Amino acid sequence: MASAVLKVAAAGVSRCSRVALQRVHSTTAPLHQGVPASLWKLGRLNHIAIAVPDMEKATALYRDVLGATVSEKVPLPDHGVYTVFVELGNTKLELLHPLGEKSPISGFLEKNKSGGMHHICIEVDDINAAIADLKTKNIRMLSAEPRIGAHGKPVMFLHPKDCDGVLVELEEA
Ligand SMILES: C[C@@H](C(=O)O)C(=O)SCCNC(=O)CCNC(=O)[C@H](O)C(C)(C)COP(=O)(O)OP(=O)(O)OC[C@H]1O[C@@H](n2cnc3c(N)ncnc32)[C@H](O)[C@@H]1OP(=O)(O)O
């Protein structure tokens, strides 16, 4: 009889400690507990893009005045831009200047004559999973399919009106 009581008590203690452990776990668990884990993850900031009206002047600012290492100017006709990358150690700046008559940054430079921050680029581990998921959350994609971006990797732009006024580029890392 006494041993039966002890067994029941022991079972109770171990059940309590399991519950306690689960509670400790729940305070440190991700906020989306109960929601299936996402199939894709956001990564590091890849770059911040700045649209500039004068590429040579902007490149000289970062290279000669601010002392940064800058890349060559690269034309990307498929995207309608010239790019220069500025190395910052923890991330990069991408200087953008229009290329061709239908450049997607022409309208932006019309409105911002002296240039300005154009978009941010964040890495993702799986761009197709990100696109599929974000579409279900009513975030508009700015092209039908991912395109190959400045680093030779698939990219997708998200509509700035769906991202708090910021044009967001996702790049598969
Ligand atoms: C090589 C690659 C890479 O890094 O890998 C690149 O950088 S390519 C970089 C260039 N490529 C891209 O930007 C591709 C994605 N961008 C686009 O599809 C376009 O630029 C849009 C973002 C849709 C904007 O197009 P567009 O200027 O023709 O339209 P719009 O003037 O009517 O703009 C619609 C509304 O969005 C706002 N808007 C326009 N551009 C914006 C920007 N960069 N940031 C925040 N808001 C912006 C406008 O003020 C306007 O708001 P209101 O109605 O309130 O006035």
Side-chain angles (χ1 to χ4, degrees), residues 47 76 79 94 104 108 111 118-119 149-150 157 160-161 165 167 169:
H47 63 262
L76 295 176
H79 288 277
E94 179 187 45
F108 182 90
K111 286 185 190 160
H118 184 260
H119 67 261
F157 284 87
K161 295 294 179 195
L167 177 59
E169 178 184 15

Side-chain angles (χ1 to χ4, degrees), residues 46-57:
N46 185 281
H47 63 262
I48 293 174
I50 299 171
V52 301
D54 182 337
M55 188 61 115
E56 278 61 43
K57 185 163 167 273

Side-chain angles (χ1 to χ4, degrees), residues 22-173:
Q22 280 162 0
R23 286 209 181 110
V24 168
H25 179 68
S26 75
T27 59
T28 56
L31 286 175
H32 304 294
Q33 196 181 28
V35 176
S38 180
L39 294 172
W40 65 281
K41 269 205 299 234
L42 212 53
R44 60 189 280 278
L45 176 68
N46 185 281
H47 63 262
I48 293 174
I50 299 171
V52 301
D54 182 337
M55 188 61 115
E56 278 61 43
K57 185 163 167 273
T59 303
L61 169 70
Y62 285 98
R63 184 189 55 219
D64 305 333
V65 179
L66 296 171
T69 301
V70 303
S71 73
E72 292 300 311
K73 180 165 100 173
V74 176
L76 295 176
D78 288 352
H79 288 277
V81 291
Y82 290 99
T83 62
V84 167
F85 278 95
V86 179
E87 290 299 331
L88 295 180
N90 61 343
T91 190
K92 298 182 275 286
L93 299 181
E94 179 187 45
L95 306 180
L96 292 174
H97 186 75
L99 167 59
E101 288 182 3
K102 289 186 182 157
S103 173
I105 68 168
S106 296
F108 182 90
L109 277 172
E110 277 295 310
K111 286 185 190 160
N112 304 275
K113 300 257 183 251
S114 49
M117 214 194 81
H118 184 260
H119 67 261
I120 61 171
C121 176
I122 309 175
E123 295 175 0
V124 293
D125 56 354
D126 182 338
I127 197 140
N128 290 318
I131 291 168
D133 183 37
L134 293 172
K135 278 183 179 169
T136 70
K137 293 169 180 165
N138 297 324
I139 308 286
R140 283 169 286 173
M141 306 293 131
L142 289 173
S143 57
E145 297 292 332
R147 304 172 67 197
I148 297 303
H151 304 113
K153 296 177 175 176
V155 302
M156 176 57 81
F157 284 87
L158 311 181
H159 202 295
K161 295 294 179 195
D162 298 337
C163 302
D164 297 312
V166 175
L167 177 59
V168 176
E169 178 184 15
L170 300 180
E171 177 179 301
E172 190 163 274

Side-chain angles (χ1 to χ4, degrees), residues 7-21:
K7 270 186 195 155
V8 170
V13 167
S14 75
R15 214 170 20 246
C16 284
S17 45
R18 270 205 308 276
V19 170
L21 270 176

